[in-house]
Amino acid sequence: MVPLRIRHNRLPADFQIESYLRHQGISFVDRFDANSYLYITRAMDYFDMEAEYAKPLAEIFANSDTKFCVISFTSDWLYPTVESRYITRAINATNTDVSFLEIATDKGHDSFLLDVPEFTNTLKGYLDNIAKEKGI
């Protein structure tokens, strides 16, 4: 087996896709500060609306005139269905308009970024209904 010759701490590109991916990676690093992702993920991990407002979630939503649509994915570990159900029950306890849907998928947290027809159709129907109510 012939050893790889590596220049500048990079493997040589044997396939065109490798060159493309390298370019995209360098471009990404040049445009974004990696620390921003640490702050964003930390904010998501520690976000607790009840602690922030020092009262139960139902009280926080009590005077809302917003219509809510809560959608969860069974394999989402960042925002698990149990938390989505908790939010939905709290909103429902205030007689505020809320819809809930749990979608079975193995795609994890990024499911909302993928082509999941049940998600797309639900969101489209929800937004179309809101637009119709608003005369848009």
Side-chain angles (χ1 to χ4, degrees):
M1 179 173 210
V2 178
L4 291 175
R5 289 180 35 209
I6 301 173
R7 288 184 228 162
H8 307 294
N9 295 326
R10 295 184 184 155
L11 290 171
D14 291 338
F15 302 97
Q16 189 173 6
I17 187 66
E18 292 173 315
S19 176
Y20 169 79
L21 291 173
R22 180 177 297 127
H23 167 75
Q24 292 301 325
I26 291 168
S27 175
F28 181 80
V29 169
D30 288 343
R31 291 182 299 165
F32 296 100
D33 177 357
N35 288 321
S36 65
Y37 289 97
L38 296 174
Y39 287 106
I40 290 169
T41 56
R42 184 169 288 177
M44 291 184 336
D45 289 342
Y46 289 115
F47 178 75
D48 183 342
M49 191 178 282
E50 289 177 312
E52 182 72 25
Y53 287 89
K55 56 184 167 181
L57 202 54
E59 287 183 33
I60 296 168
F61 288 112
N63 298 313
S64 177
D65 60 355
T66 301
K67 293 184 178 208
F68 294 90
C69 181
V70 179
I71 301 174
S72 71
F73 300 97
T74 55
S75 56
D76 187 343
W77 55 267
L78 186 57
Y79 298 110
T81 296
V82 66
E83 291 181 13
S84 296
R85 287 185 192 279
Y86 179 74
I87 293 166
T88 302
R89 280 195 286 282
I91 296 169
N92 201 25
T94 67
N95 291 320
T96 301
D97 192 348
V98 60
S99 301
F100 173 77
L101 175 66
E102 178 184 35
I103 298 173
T105 179
D106 63 352
K107 306 298 185 220
H109 176 69
D110 291 339
S111 294
F112 73 99
L113 298 171
L114 305 172
D115 183 19
V116 179
E118 191 174 3
F119 172 68
T120 306
N121 294 337
T122 299
L123 191 56
K124 181 182 182 326
Y126 178 77
L127 294 174
D128 286 348
N129 188 47
I130 296 295
K132 184 179 176 182
E133 288 177 7
K134 299 287 182 185
I136 301 173

